[in-house]
Amino acid sequence: MPIQVTPRVQTLLLVFTLLLTTFLSYLPQHTLLRPSSAYHPTWTTSHSVIFNFLVGCIYVSYLRAVVTDPGRPRPGWVPDGVDEVKKEKRDGDRDGDREGKLWGRSAGRWCKKCEAWKPPRCHHCRKCGRCVLRMDHHCPWTANCVGYRNLPHFLRFISYASVTTLYLEYHLIAILMHIWDLPSTSPSTPSFRTLIYILVTLLVNTLTTFSLNILTLRCLYSACLGTTTIEHWEQDRHASLVRRKVVRRVIFPWDIGIWENLCEAMGTWKAWEWLWVGAKTRQDWDPSQPSGWDWERDGGGGVRWEVNGFEGMLMCSSRSLWDCFFS
C-alpha cells in the first residue's frame, strides 16, 4: 500500500531534509574536517571555504524551490481559437469533454477540477489542488510542485547537493584511508566511538550521494530532451500504444535541441546564470501587460512554447498537436 503524502508528512520531510543537510554539512566539520586535523592532515582553510560555499548554495536554492510558486494559469486565460472549440463541443465532442482533453485545434485543455482552461504542458496537481504551468512533478521533499517558475531553483538545489555530497564522500574516504595507514601505537588513532561516527557518517552520505546523483542525472537528462517527468511517462504510454498499433506514432513537439532545451528549463540563455542561486525567478504569462512582455527575455511565460518544426509530419490536421500526441 503506497504511503499517503499528507501535509503533515510533507512537513516532516521538509524538517528531515534540513536536518540531514545540517548533519552532513556541519558535524563533520566540527569533528573531522578541520585545518590541521589529526584525521585529515591535508584539509586546509581553502577546503572549508569551498565546502561552506557549496553548503550555502544548497540552503538558498532549496529554500527558493520551497517558497517559490511554480506558476499557475492566469484567471480567465483562454486558448487561441476558443470560439471554434466551443462550437465543436456543442457539435457533440462528448468524448473530449468527458476525458478533459483538447477540443479542436486550440492549444489548451479544459480542467474539470478547476473548471478553467489550462495551457499546453500544464497539469492539475491533486496535492496542491490547482493547475501548475509546465508541471514536472510534485516533490514531497520541498512540499511544492516543481513547475515553470521554480524549476531552475530545483535543478540548482539538486545539482549543488550532488556536488557537495560527492566532495564530502571523497574526503571521508580520505580520512578512512589515513586512519588505516596509521600504526596501532599512533596517538592519532581515533577512539572506537569516533570510528563508529566516521563509518555512520560515510554510510549516510553514501546513500544520500547515490540517491541524489540518480535524481540529478535523471532531471538533467529530461531537461536536455526538453521533457518533464509527466511528459516522460506520457511518452512511454504513447510508445506502448504505438507498439500495439492503437495510435499512430507522433513526434514529441517541444524538443528543440539540447542547448535550447536547457535554456528553456533554466529560464535564460546566459549559462553563467544557471549556477547563480540569486537568479531572478522568471514570470508567468501576464496578458494584462502585453506591451511589457519580451519574448526573447521572458519566453512564452509557461503558456506558449516553441516547437521543433516536425509538427507538419504528424498528419493530425483534424486534431490539435497536443490531442494527437497524448490521445
Side-chain angles (χ1 to χ4, degrees):
M1 180 178 179
I3 299 176
Q4 287 293 107
V5 185
T6 62
R8 178 175 296 181
V9 172
Q10 290 191 130
T11 301
L12 292 175
L13 291 176
L14 276 173
V15 174
F16 173 78
T17 302
L18 291 172
L19 290 177
L20 178 63
T21 304
T22 303
F23 172 77
L24 293 177
S25 300
Y26 296 112
L27 289 184
Q29 291 189 83
H30 179 70
T31 56
L32 304 172
L33 302 176
R34 292 181 295 179
S36 303
S37 170
Y39 305 125
H40 196 355
T42 60
W43 182 271
T44 63
T45 302
S46 61
H47 288 102
S48 296
V49 171
I50 293 172
F51 186 71
N52 283 286
F53 172 78
L54 293 173
V55 170
C57 290
I58 292 176
Y59 278 113
V60 173
S61 54
Y62 178 69
L63 291 176
R64 297 193 74 184
V66 171
V67 302
T68 301
D69 188 282
R72 68 179 71 199
R74 297 283 173 143
W77 181 87
V78 294
D80 297 334
V82 70
D83 292 337
E84 178 185 356
V85 169
K86 292 180 178 179
K87 178 178 182 300
E88 292 193 16
K89 181 182 176 184
R90 288 196 302 269
D91 289 343
D93 186 9
R94 298 303 178 188
D95 290 336
D97 187 12
R98 182 173 62 252
E99 299 297 331
K101 292 182 181 178
L102 216 120
W103 298 309
R105 300 179 180 84
S106 68
R109 295 176 297 163
W110 181 259
C111 178
K112 296 182 292 182
K113 296 180 180 179
C114 295
E115 296 186 348
W117 288 101
K118 57 184 178 181
R121 316 187 80 178
C122 180
H123 295 273
H124 187 91
C125 176
R126 291 178 297 174
K127 295 182 177 62
C128 295
R130 47 168 281 198
C131 287
V132 177
L133 294 175
R134 197 197 185 277
M135 180 177 172
D136 189 274
H137 67 284
H138 184 90
C139 179
W141 304 100
T142 61
N144 196 7
C145 275
V146 177
Y148 176 74
R149 298 183 70 239
N150 65 349
L151 175 64
H153 304 317
F154 180 78
L155 291 177
R156 277 188 283 267
F157 161 60
I158 58 176
S159 297
Y160 276 117
S162 296
V163 171
T164 307
T165 52
L166 283 171
Y167 190 76
L168 178 60
E169 186 81 0
Y170 169 80
H171 287 286
L172 288 175
I173 293 175
I175 289 174
L176 282 179
M177 294 179 63
H178 175 73
I179 293 174
W180 181 267
D181 292 334
L182 288 176
S184 58
T185 57
S186 173
S188 300
T189 303
S191 64
F192 179 75
R193 178 181 298 180
T194 302
L195 188 59
I196 291 298
Y197 168 74
I198 295 172
L199 292 175
V200 169
T201 304
L202 179 62
L203 176 61
V204 173
N205 188 72
T206 300
L207 294 175
T208 305
T209 302
F210 180 75
S211 304
L212 267 175
N213 279 271
I214 289 179
L215 174 63
T216 303
L217 291 174
R218 181 67 188 86
C219 289
L220 292 179
Y221 177 72
S222 294
C224 289
L225 295 182
T227 66
T228 65
T229 299
I230 294 176
E231 288 166 355
H232 180 75
W233 296 336
E234 289 173 329
Q235 288 186 70
D236 289 343
R237 175 175 174 268
H238 177 72
S240 175
L241 294 174
V242 170
R243 287 193 298 269
R244 290 154 48 194
K245 298 183 179 180
V246 176
V247 298
R248 191 180 312 172
R249 179 178 178 271
V250 177
I251 299 173
F252 182 71
W254 295 300
D255 180 4
I256 54 177
I258 294 177
W259 171 255
E260 289 79 7
N261 290 336
L262 287 172
C263 291
E264 183 277 315
M266 299 305 297
T268 178
W269 58 270
K270 301 174 183 177
W272 58 89
E273 291 188 5
W274 297 356
L275 301 176
W276 171 230
V277 295
K280 182 180 179 181
T281 300
R282 58 184 174 181
Q283 301 302 308
D284 48 16
W285 178 267
D286 187 353
S288 65
Q289 299 177 347
S291 60
W293 195 265
D294 188 328
W295 180 274
E296 294 296 328
R297 182 193 66 212
D298 303 313
V303 173
R304 300 180 180 179
W305 301 96
E306 181 180 354
V307 294
N308 52 29
F310 293 108
E311 64 273 15
M313 301 170 56
L314 304 184
M315 301 177 64
C316 55
S317 58
S318 63
R319 294 190 297 171
S320 69
L321 190 63
W322 182 283
D323 194 24
C324 192
F325 185 80
F326 296 116
S327 60

